[in-house]
Each structure stands twice: as structure tokens, then as C-alpha cells.
Amino acid sequence: MLTASLFYLSKSTQNLPLDNYLCQWLLLKRIMNIFLMQYFTNGGGLVRANSIKEIRRSELSRAAFKAVILYGLRKTTLEKVGNIAGVSKGVVLHHFKDKSALLEAVFRSSNTLLSGSVVELYRYAVTPYERLWAIIVANFFETIFNRQVCQAWVSLISEVPHNSECQRVQIANNERIRTNLMHELKHFLPEQEAEQVARHLGVHIDGIWVRAGLLPHPVETNVAISEVQFAIEKLLPFDEISAAKHKEARKKIEAIADIALGSKAFKEKFLQV
């Protein structure tokens, strides 16, 4: 896994500007850390950090999400989830008492992926401009923002009003996005105004996801990010100097995202067991 990740890094960084060598080194270091964190030494041997139970729950959560993509929420059953995961319905029930509990796990997994993406890009963001763009790019990177995932997400959020646990998870996710945006927007706006803009951008991000899940054709990552940029240009102070800083920050974060969020190491940590 580490060898493949290093190869991917070397291929992906060939076109980066020379002044991004430091970013390349930090990314390489991060990939190595992810690899080492997946294992730990115990009595001189390497042992998987995740327990068998956690692995199985993760597998079933992914299978449930795939079932929602294939069949929609209403037609997703525990039997279908078991078939996708290659286990019986009884095994699914052993880890999740009912479909509602399984859907809650799917919500948690998808939100963990989103927050993990933001944290990963934050590691390489230095300025408030770059941290703001790290939040935006993380929410629309192609690893998670694609037509199938958006359609599944639209199906899942329809469950929120009817499931208190899913509602609690979604409220926490909305608050996390708002807080992240607020933290960076305070560098550009008075606190009260930053609060309003953070709420508006959060709604804007959700709206793009919903629309992407309903349209008959896919919404490209670059298009989604550009739509948020249009809102930023209207809501934040935007003169010639700040426009140049936003442009450079977006360019840097998108280049880093291609490596950090597209790497095999990241995908194995957040998308696979």
C-alpha cells in the first residue's frame, strides 16, 4: 500500500510548481503517517488497529450505502445489504438491530468522510484564504462528490425528519460546517456578518448537493466549486488584491486535494477497511 501511494504521489506532483516542493514533502510525510497509523506494534508484531467488529460494521455501512445507490432508500432492505456485503441477513442484524440503526451508521460514515477530507486539507493550508478554500474543496472533491453519491445522499436526507438519530447526526454535521466557515470568515468580516455568511454558504453547499442528486446529468466538481466562489465574491470584500489571493488559494488547495484526497492511502483510511 505504501509503495503504491508513493508512486501515486510521484506521478501526481510532476506538474506542481517548484515552489510547491514543501507541500509535496508534507504530503509524502502525511501518507507515511497514515500507513503507520493503520498498524501498531504489539509484542514485536504488527496488529491491525481496528477490531474485527469495527471492520464488519464498516463493511456493512458501505454495503448499505451502495444499496441506497442501487435501489434507493425505500427499496433497500437488510437482505440486499447482506447480499452486497456477502453475508446473511442474520449477520447484518447481529451488528445493527434494524434498518434504522444501519442508516444511522451510513450517516455517520459519510459525515466522517467529509470531516476527514477537511482535516486532511487543513494540514496544508496556511492562510485564512487557504483554510476557507480547504473547506469548500473538501465538500466537492470528486472522491465523494459524484452523481451516484449525491443521489444516495438525497435519498438518505429524506429519512432525517423521521429518524431522531439521523437528525442528530445531520444537525451536528451542519453545525460543524458552520463553525469551520465561521472560524475563517472572521478574518474577512465582522463577527455578526461572518455568522450570516457562514449560514448562507452552508445552505449553498447543501443546495448544490441536493441539486446534483436530482439532475439527470452529473455536476462536475469544478462547476460546483465555481458556484461557491461566485457566492464568496458577492458576500466577502473582493477587490483586486483579495481576488488574486482567493485565486491562488483555490489553485493551491485543489492541487493538494488531487494528491491528498485522491491518494490510495486516504481512500483506504476513509473509504475502505
Side-chain angles (χ1 to χ4, degrees), residues 171-190:
I171 289 174
N173 180 57
N174 292 341
E175 178 62 18
R176 175 183 58 77
I177 294 177
R178 186 197 67 81
T179 302
N180 288 342
L181 288 169
M182 263 291 294
H183 186 271
E184 307 311 328
L185 290 172
K186 285 190 293 186
H187 295 282
F188 306 100
L189 299 166

Side-chain angles (χ1 to χ4, degrees), residues 100 103-108 111 156-176:
S100 178
L103 291 176
E104 179 192 346
V106 173
F107 260 90
R108 291 185 183 279
N111 288 331
L156 286 169
I157 61 173
S158 67
E159 179 69 12
V160 170
H162 314 291
N163 186 312
S164 59
E165 287 302 313
C166 289
Q167 190 174 65
R168 185 169 60 84
V169 173
Q170 189 59 35
I171 289 174
N173 180 57
N174 292 341
E175 178 62 18
R176 175 183 58 77

